[in-house]
Amino acid sequence: MKVFPEDLLYSREHMWVRVDGNLATIGITDYAQEKLGELISIELPDPNNYVEADEQFGSLEAAPPAVVTELVSPVSGEVISVNDDVADDISIINSDPHDAGWLIMVDMSDLRELDDLLNSQEYQEYIANEF
């Protein structure tokens, strides 16, 4: 079974969140990147855009057969930073999804949204029951 970092929170849409005060760093889980396979392109919002919890903020495209996956934000807030490194080298997401492969950083507008996310153990149980 995969191990998911315990310092992260997880969404049912396979996104992770690292919380630091009002700041949320967001990426896709190791489980998600493994299911998608080799990634070939990514679309991310510009800084200063507002993202809504449970709404699409970008997309990932995997290698043929081409599959485009929506990136769904686990929290609401203003995008304050975008990881340009993954835009330049998308393979970072495949090799290090929970650290260097982060996608966006958001200044959260409602910390109560974090209550809807799963801890590491809950996420592992969720994906075990998904199939």
Side-chain angles (χ1 to χ4, degrees), residues 57-77:
F57 69 86
S59 62
L60 278 171
E61 184 178 358
V67 175
V68 176
T69 301
E70 291 183 355
L71 298 172
V72 176
S73 185
V75 296
S76 300

Side-chain angles (χ1 to χ4, degrees), residues 22 50-52 75-78 106-113:
N22 281 351
Y50 191 85
V51 295
E52 289 278 351
V75 296
S76 300
E78 184 179 334
V106 172
D107 184 2
M108 291 183 284
S109 58
D110 186 354
L111 297 179
R112 293 172 299 187
E113 291 173 342

Side-chain angles (χ1 to χ4, degrees), residues 7-124:
D7 64 327
L8 303 177
L9 295 171
Y10 300 88
S11 75
R12 289 167 180 81
E13 290 76 29
H14 307 294
M15 305 298 291
W16 58 260
V17 180
R18 180 174 289 119
V19 178
D20 183 11
N22 281 351
L23 295 182
T25 303
I26 299 170
I28 71 164
T29 65
D30 190 30
Y31 172 80
Q33 72 77 24
E34 190 174 86
K35 287 283 177 223
L36 288 169
E38 183 187 350
L39 302 174
I40 57 174
S41 72
I42 187 166
E43 204 171 286
L44 294 172
D46 293 324
N48 303 322
N49 278 10
Y50 191 85
V51 295
E52 289 278 351
D54 303 320
E55 297 290 327
Q56 180 179 350
F57 69 86
S59 62
L60 278 171
E61 184 178 358
V67 175
V68 176
T69 301
E70 291 183 355
L71 298 172
V72 176
S73 185
V75 296
S76 300
E78 184 179 334
V79 177
I80 59 168
S81 185
V82 175
N83 188 348
D84 291 327
D85 292 343
V86 298
D88 295 338
D89 180 7
I90 198 164
S91 70
I92 295 170
I93 296 171
N94 288 118
S95 62
D96 193 4
H98 293 139
D99 203 9
W102 66 275
L103 303 177
I104 61 174
M105 196 175 292
V106 172
D107 184 2
M108 291 183 284
S109 58
D110 186 354
L111 297 179
R112 293 172 299 187
E113 291 173 342
L114 297 172
D115 297 340
D116 296 333
L117 302 179
L118 308 173
N119 66 29
S120 177
Q121 181 65 38
E122 292 166 333
Y123 182 66
Q124 287 184 49

